[in-house]
Amino acid sequence: MGAVESTEGEREPLLAPSPPEEHRAQPVNSRVYGRRWVVLILFSVLGFLQGMVWNTWGPIQNSAKHAYQFSSTDIAVLVLWGPVGYIPWLLFVWLMDKKGLRVSLLLTAFLMVLGSALRSIPLTDLQLRRWLIHGGQLLNGLAGPTIMSAGPLLSTTWFAPDQRATATAIASLVCYLGSACSFLIGPLAVPAPNDTQIVNTITHWDPGHIRNRIDLVLYTGLCISVPFRTTELGVIVVFFLAVLLYFPSRPPMPPSVAAASQRLSYRSSICRLLSNMRFLMIALAYSVPTGIVAGWSGVLDMILTPVRVSQVDAGWIGFWSIVGGCVFGVAMARFADYIRGMLKLILVLMLAGASLAATWFTLTCLTSLTHLPSTKATLYTSCILVGIFINSSIPIFFELFIETVYPVPEGITCGVVTFLSNLFTGLLLFFLTFYFTELSWLNWCLTGSCLFSLLLILFFRESYDRLYLDVFVSV
């Protein structure tokens, strides 16, 4: 499990050649700016909103079926629009590489504004309303390639080497935090159809009442107890304007030697990635479990309904599993910033924990066969542990990708792996549209994906080309 250097064939000159004496006399000037945190916050809030819009329907699928006459296929397709938005991923990656972060994020925010506006149009024609909701979810899905793959590019462009992993974790995990808030907001604001409590003489299971509460979620995006309600669409518009007014692509001076170094061209980068077997190995190790978990968590309410878990409880389970993964992921990324060169060991421990937790959850859901106790506590614990271990591994994977294939640009590298992750999410949800009567196979897919990823990481040879450049050249 020790680190090894990449071969000569995998490495190209990273800086313009210069005599050793001259190089030592004129080191690369670098500086970090306080405004980097403003840039990170703007990017992270857009990621949060994109994740929240994507995961609107899964946590309230029972209510949506009752109010809009959605079928199980409709719910799966609404979640599927996220991965479908990755079909033109090469275009977004090219735009990020050629035009920089500012142009890419402006386009992303504009797509989010259009998507949120479409699905918020109040129509009485339910059939037309369903089409607009699907269209809005697709436009929000098209914002995904930039949101999910630009985090490492932002951290390298703006942050010093001892803060890169932490910045990557924040930028790449906050969209999952938005999904977690959907698990909380939806079930709390929208009554389940089996709730017969009467409030103001209106039963909660009345379709018109449920539809009004769903509209409140679409318009609000915040808990209804907030004194001054800010609409979800309005929040997205505000941050679109903020990016329009201030979001530079890069700082005046680079924060590190790696940020100032020459990178491969777009075409050369794609060819390098597709021909690098070590990269393809860890790309599969990342994309299979994260893609399966994304699809699995998007329909978690459907998975837990057969074991008599209510819509609200399923929402809380999904919420804490993602929040736990985000918090633990940032903590582990901060640890990786202090203890460099240990990314593989961290991933092995995380994936081993994920494999055990997924196996526990799968067997617990099959209590009629395994006779394991199926209580709220066991389902909470096992499901939350799956989310913690899988989601927290994402920024560690991203950092390992960049180290392995440097000097391939960060946006291109992460664009490829996030496309693969969404491809597996799409495949899972595609099969779900046909096999939705019995869902235990989803849990077995989750367990198998974690074990498969652990096996690939165990046989992976790590290298740290970018870290080598920052440590030795900067000295």
Side-chain angles (χ1 to χ4, degrees), residues 89-106:
W89 67 279
L90 283 172
L91 173 63
F92 291 103
V93 168
W94 173 87
L95 186 67
M96 200 186 311
D97 183 57
K98 297 298 183 183
K99 302 299 182 180
L101 278 172
R102 175 176 172 79
V103 174
S104 299
L105 203 61
L106 277 174

Side-chain angles (χ1 to χ4, degrees), residues 60 80 96 122 183 198 214 228 278 292 388 395 402 440 455:
I60 56 171
L80 182 61
M96 200 186 311
F183 280 115
I198 299 179
I214 294 176
F228 298 98
R278 290 195 306 128
I292 297 297
I388 287 176
I402 305 306
S440 62
L455 185 64

